[in-house]
């Protein structure tokens, strides 16, 4: 429970930073998805699925901050977190390659899932324009920022890890 | 002895993911179909309050750090401004003469005056945290008189231009739908030929808007730089608010209308203050 709350709180903090300090974007007006990077980290180190719950909670807050309908980012973040948790079973975390790929692939997954959501619920749903320059910039930027966030959070990793209660002898 | 090592995702992981995904889709279904709203008290005060707090902290830091470097350039700017001031005094005289002439011509043409509108000034305190949606958050809400679907304009470089419309009103903050959003539509017309169409955003701040449904017959008279204004036919935006200028246009062989790219008159990446137009009880 502690890991879920800490991860969600940090991801929500990142959402506020995205909507205020980084609101003009970093390159070509594109905002890096720092909240998603934090959730990818939590999902990767917690193989028990706590990252998915943190992603769902953060997604609901993202929906409140955004013009999106409630449930939109909750679905996108939860899906990315689930895929990251599954990935953690087949690979080990390294310094650069895996975090970069996780950030980039998560962006692609969000792009594809947003298209599916647009098809399922047409009203008020926006979808990523996958073949646009901006999407390419976001993909690379999310990869780079995820690498950076993984590096920073690795110093305080125990706060984000689920610590199961030890059974009494 | 039982092997405690985990070789693959356990059932509990799949279960947690399934619950979260189904719950998300259910909420999404409800929020898109029935427009279920979260309680105003939460959205209006707590979320709005946090956004205002962040905006305040952000502007404090940027002002403090920026002030040191700004001092040097202030002296240079002051001297340059004195020169400009003299130039503007001359221009102002010309402007007043033109204004009087314009008023006289209007009276001659017997054009009806636009109804007086109250302008509510607001500051942009936050933007959408994602790239996919493009809302702006302003620091005025229903306690300040903001209402849903109010048109929003801004002034930049001496030009009054359309910014968007209010789509969500909270107690102390409101969410604004900017004109570059992919779901933004407004009735528009070419100021010169009066041909009517519909303006639509492309989803990016740095991309031109699309002016749709202008007939091909307008092509001969159309020129780059022509002004596009609101037509007022959608009953949301007052007429004659400047939207932008024609950047390029081309024939669409499969349609009877032109494809016109319009560059907005207001650079939305630079605006800080906007004005919501209150057109009275008919809103």
């Amino acid at each position: 429970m502690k890991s879920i709350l800490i991860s969600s709180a940090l991801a929500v903090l990142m959402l506020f930073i995205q909507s205020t300090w980084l609101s003009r974007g970093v390159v070509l007006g594109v905002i890096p998805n720092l909240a998603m990077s934090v959730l990818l980290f939590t999902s990767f180190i917690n193989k028990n699925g706590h990252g998915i719950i943190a992603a769902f909670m953060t997604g609901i807050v993202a929906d409140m901050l955004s013009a999106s309908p409630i449930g939109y980012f909750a679905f996108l973040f939860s899906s990315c977190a689930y895929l990251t948790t599954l990935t953690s079973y087949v690979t080990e975390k390294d310094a650069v390659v895996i975090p970069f790929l996780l950030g980039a692939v998560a962006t692609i997954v969000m792009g594809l899932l947003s298209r599916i959501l647009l098809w399922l619920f047409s009203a008020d749903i926006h979808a990523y324009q996958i073949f646009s320059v901006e999407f390419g910039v976001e993909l690379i930027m999310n990869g780079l920022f995820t690498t950076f966030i993984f590096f920073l959070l690795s110093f305080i990793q125990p706060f984000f890890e689920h610590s199961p209660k030890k059974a009494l002898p | 002895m039982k092997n405690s090592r985990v070789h693959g995702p356990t059932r509990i992981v799949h279960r947690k993911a399934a619950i979260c995904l189904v719950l998300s889709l259910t909420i999404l279904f409800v929020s898109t179909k029935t427009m279920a709203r979260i309680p105003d008290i939460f959205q209006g005060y707590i979320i709005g309050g946090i956004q205002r707090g962040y905006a305040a902290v952000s502007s404090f830091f940027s002002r403090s750090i920026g002030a040191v470097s700004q001092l040097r350039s202030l002296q240079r700017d002051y001297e340059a401004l004195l020169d400009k001031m003299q130039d503007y005094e001359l221009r102002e005289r010309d402007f007043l003469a033109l204004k009087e002439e314009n008023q006289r011509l209007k009276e001659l043409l017997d054009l009806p005056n636009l109804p007086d509108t109250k302008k509510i000034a607001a500051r942009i305190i936050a933007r959408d945290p994602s790239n996919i949606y493009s809302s702006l958050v302003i620091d005025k809400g229903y306690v300040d008189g903001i209402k849903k679907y109010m048109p929003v304009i801004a002034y930049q470089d001496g030009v009054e231009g359309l910014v968007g419309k209010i789509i969500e009103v909270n107690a102390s903050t409101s969410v604004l739908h900017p004109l570059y959003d992919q779901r933004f539509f407004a009735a528009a017309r070419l100021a010169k030929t009066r041909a009517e169409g519909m303006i639509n955003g492309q989803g990016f701040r740095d991309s031109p808007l699309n002016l749709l449904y202008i007939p091909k017959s307008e092509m001969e008279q159309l020129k780059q730089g022509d002004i596009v204004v609101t037509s007022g036919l959608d009953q949301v935006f007052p007429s004659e608010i400047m939207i932008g200028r024609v950047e390029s246009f081309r024939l669409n062989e499969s349609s009877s209308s032109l494809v016109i790219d319009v560059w907005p008159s207001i650079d939305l990446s630079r605006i800080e203050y906007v004005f919501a137009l209150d057109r009275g009880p008919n809103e």
Side-chain angles (χ1 to χ4, degrees):
Chain A
M1 192 65 190
K2 183 197 77 176
S3 64
I4 296 174
L5 289 177
I6 291 175
S7 307
S8 303
L10 186 64
V12 168
L13 180 75
M14 293 297 170
L15 282 176
F16 280 110
I17 290 172
Q18 285 170 226
S19 73
T20 53
W21 292 346
L22 296 176
S23 64
R24 284 166 207 277
V26 176
V27 179
L28 289 176
V30 177
I31 307 165
N33 203 337
L34 302 178
M36 190 187 71
S37 301
V38 171
L39 295 170
L40 294 181
F41 178 81
T42 310
S43 306
F44 198 87
I45 61 168
N46 287 304
K47 293 179 193 284
N48 56 3
H50 275 194
I52 303 166
I53 298 169
F56 174 77
M57 288 163 63
T58 309
I60 293 289
V61 178
D63 289 322
M64 290 175 180
L65 288 173
S66 170
S68 59
I70 309 287
Y72 179 82
F73 280 110
F75 180 78
L76 295 185
F77 284 172
S78 303
S79 304
C80 290
Y82 178 45
L83 289 176
T84 306
T85 305
L86 294 183
T87 309
S88 70
Y89 283 94
V90 292
T91 184
E92 291 295 323
K93 182 159 71 79
D94 67 357
V96 179
V97 179
I98 295 298
F100 182 87
L101 286 177
L102 283 174
V105 171
T107 310
I108 295 170
V109 169
M110 282 179 73
L112 295 173
L113 288 177
S114 70
R115 287 269 147 205
I116 294 170
L117 289 181
L118 175 67
W119 178 66
L120 287 172
F121 312 90
S122 59
D124 290 334
I125 297 284
H126 287 202
Y128 279 95
Q129 293 174 28
I130 294 171
F131 298 105
S132 65
V133 177
E134 285 81 2
F135 185 77
V137 171
E138 187 175 351
L139 191 147
I140 295 167
M141 205 187 286
N142 283 346
L144 293 173
F145 273 95
T146 304
T147 309
F148 182 61
I149 294 235
F150 266 58
F151 171 73
L152 286 183
L153 296 187
S154 61
F155 292 107
I156 49 170
Q157 187 166 328
F159 288 107
F160 295 88
E161 277 175 332
H162 171 60
S163 47
K165 285 174 188 167
K166 286 175 185 168
L168 292 170
Chain B
M1 191 178 162
K2 200 176 174 181
N3 189 358
S4 62
R5 284 190 66 189
V6 179
H7 293 288
T10 54
R11 193 176 291 174
I12 193 84
V13 173
H14 298 307
R15 199 178 296 162
K16 280 175 185 170
I19 290 168
C20 287
L21 293 174
V22 169
L23 203 55
S24 307
L25 286 173
T26 309
I27 296 168
L28 192 55
F29 180 80
V30 173
S31 66
T32 52
K33 297 288 178 188
T34 64
M35 305 301 283
R37 316 279 300 174
I38 49 172
D40 281 348
I41 185 76
F42 184 76
Q43 200 170 9
Y45 288 98
I46 298 176
I47 295 288
I50 294 170
Q51 277 173 328
R52 287 170 76 104
Y54 264 87
V57 172
S58 164
S59 61
F60 170 75
F61 277 109
S62 57
R63 273 202 306 268
S64 305
I65 296 164
V68 179
S69 61
Q70 277 175 3
L71 274 172
R72 288 177 197 162
S73 60
L74 271 175
Q75 181 67 32
R76 284 195 302 274
D77 290 348
Y78 175 71
E79 285 160 9
L81 281 171
L82 281 176
D83 295 337
K84 271 191 177 177
M85 187 76 175
Q86 288 176 335
D87 184 36
Y88 281 129
E89 277 175 3
L90 290 170
R91 285 190 190 193
E92 195 185 0
R93 280 179 220 155
D94 294 343
F95 172 72
L96 286 172
L98 284 169
K99 198 176 172 186
E100 282 171 12
E101 188 187 353
N102 186 33
Q103 187 60 37
R104 279 198 304 275
L105 288 168
K106 267 187 177 176
E107 283 166 10
L108 283 171
L109 289 167
D110 199 25
L111 286 175
N113 287 324
L114 286 170
D116 286 336
T117 51
K118 185 181 153 197
K119 288 176 185 166
I120 304 169
R123 193 164 71 91
I124 293 173
I125 54 166
R127 290 166 199 260
D128 210 286
S130 69
N131 296 306
I132 191 165
Y133 281 84
S134 37
S135 59
L136 307 172
V137 182
I138 58 171
D139 67 344
K140 295 285 163 67
Y142 58 73
V143 293
D144 306 289
I146 302 280
K147 295 173 206 147
K148 201 173 179 182
Y149 303 128
M150 267 186 177
V152 179
I153 60 162
Y155 295 90
Q156 202 170 59
D157 303 327
V159 175
E160 180 193 84
L162 187 68
V163 171
K165 67 180 174 190
I166 302 288
I167 54 164
E168 201 172 287
V169 186
N170 306 314
S172 61
T173 58
S174 301
V175 180
L176 151 67
H177 204 190
L179 77 172
Y180 62 81
D181 190 275
Q182 53 184 290
R183 292 291 172 99
F184 180 91
F185 291 93
R189 66 159 56 109
L190 291 162
K192 194 170 72 176
T193 65
R194 314 306 287 168
E196 285 166 4
M198 183 83 83
I199 202 86
N200 174 223
Q202 290 196 56
F204 302 111
R205 267 196 309 240
D206 301 327
S207 301
L209 312 170
N210 284 332
L211 180 58
L212 312 168
Y213 312 125
I214 296 290
K216 284 178 179 174
S217 56
E218 296 289 323
M219 191 159 180
E220 287 178 8
Q221 298 176 64
L222 197 60
K223 283 184 187 139
Q224 192 183 20
D226 280 355
I227 292 173
V228 179
V229 295
T230 52
S231 69
L233 293 176
D234 51 16
Q235 305 292 313
V236 175
F237 302 99
S239 59
E240 304 303 322
I241 297 178
M242 186 162 173
I243 295 172
R245 286 178 183 275
V246 171
E247 190 188 46
S248 62
F249 53 94
R250 59 195 177 277
L251 267 173
N252 188 354
E253 295 301 330
S254 59
S255 154
S256 61
S257 59
L258 294 169
V259 180
I260 303 175
D261 288 337
V262 176
W263 201 256
S265 56
I266 300 287
D267 180 358
L268 291 180
S269 62
R270 291 197 291 127
I271 53 165
E272 288 178 81
Y273 292 91
V274 292
F275 296 90
L277 301 181
D278 186 358
R279 294 194 289 160
N282 294 336
E283 203 111 19

